Amino acid sequence: WLRQLSAERIAQELRRLVVAKGAGPTLELMSEAGLTEIVFDGIAWPQRLARLARMEETRGLAPSPALRLAAAAAATVEEADRIAERLKLSKAEAKEMHAAVGAAWSFPVQPEAAARRLLYTLGREAFRTGCLLAFAAGRDAPDDPPWPALLDLAGTAEIPVFPVDGKSLVKRGLAPGPELGAELARLEAIWIESDFALDRDALLALSDGADPA
């Protein structure tokens, strides 16, 4: 009978299931009965789902059905995309799953300069959800380092804004085009490696080949 249900109906029921209390044990029972093979066309990860729920409860975070589905059945971005398509999830849900699963591979990272760089690169939401998924895939307790510090960083850290734009470089003689884009990318990489310490003037000086020091 399960095979007769529409993808939309199955997705609707799964959204309810994965955010319900005891979702991990419920998914384990479904897996033992062979139901997850039908639903996901692949294996399920009940322990990952349970661990994600535990961390969310510890941190007081509201559960996201898309993130819970990613924990339950997607270890790679390819699996996340396939499941989103199979269940006919919304574009927002598919995007959340893809970003979270992709970001999870960057963790764990120490909550210092490396974490700040990763937060800037990924963005706040992908950093947070990737961190949660990475925790769910491991064996640490919610209070074990570096997870609390990383999730605190995701929630409170200010994400810096790159202080140089294309107009600034054009004014200094660079013509619009691929070379301008490449120079912006080069300066941004230098800025990130400086732990965002270099200001606009120092970066523009670097564009001229000068030493900011």
Side-chain angles (χ1 to χ4, degrees), residues 18 20-28 45-58 68 71-72 132 135-138 142:
V18 294
K21 192 172 183 63
T26 300
L27 187 67
E28 187 168 8
W45 307 87
Q47 290 303 316
R48 287 183 15 165
L49 178 58
R51 285 177 53 77
L52 173 59
R54 183 183 175 195
M55 176 61 91
E56 288 171 337
E57 291 167 5
T58 299
R68 292 270 183 113
L132 288 169
F135 167 81

Side-chain angles (χ1 to χ4, degrees), residues 34-105:
L35 299 179
T36 53
E37 289 278 350
I38 300 173
V39 170
F40 298 124
D41 191 27
I43 63 174
W45 307 87
Q47 290 303 316
R48 287 183 15 165
L49 178 58
R51 285 177 53 77
L52 173 59
R54 183 183 175 195
M55 176 61 91
E56 288 171 337
E57 291 167 5
T58 299
R59 302 282 304 186
L61 301 174
S64 158
L67 186 61
R68 292 270 183 113
L69 281 170
T76 66
V77 291
E78 291 80 12
E79 289 176 347
D81 293 345
R82 178 181 57 77
I83 290 168
E85 182 177 358
R86 180 178 179 82
L87 296 177
K88 299 187 185 306
L89 300 181
S90 69
K91 290 182 179 180
E93 289 172 318
K95 182 178 179 181
E96 181 180 350
M97 289 179 66
H98 183 102
V101 174
W105 289 94

Side-chain angles (χ1 to χ4, degrees), residues 12 15 37 49 60 67 76 80 82 93 121 129 136 156 179 183:
Q12 182 180 8
R15 290 186 188 98
E37 289 278 350
L49 178 58
L67 186 61
T76 66
R82 178 181 57 77
E93 289 172 318
T121 302
T129 56
T156 62
E179 290 185 1
E183 180 63 3

Side-chain angles (χ1 to χ4, degrees), residues 116-135:
R116 290 191 292 271
R117 290 195 293 267
L118 187 61
L119 176 62
Y120 174 80
T121 302
L122 294 176
R124 192 179 306 280
E125 188 60 15
F127 184 98
R128 183 185 71 84
T129 56
C131 183
L132 288 169
L133 278 189
F135 167 81

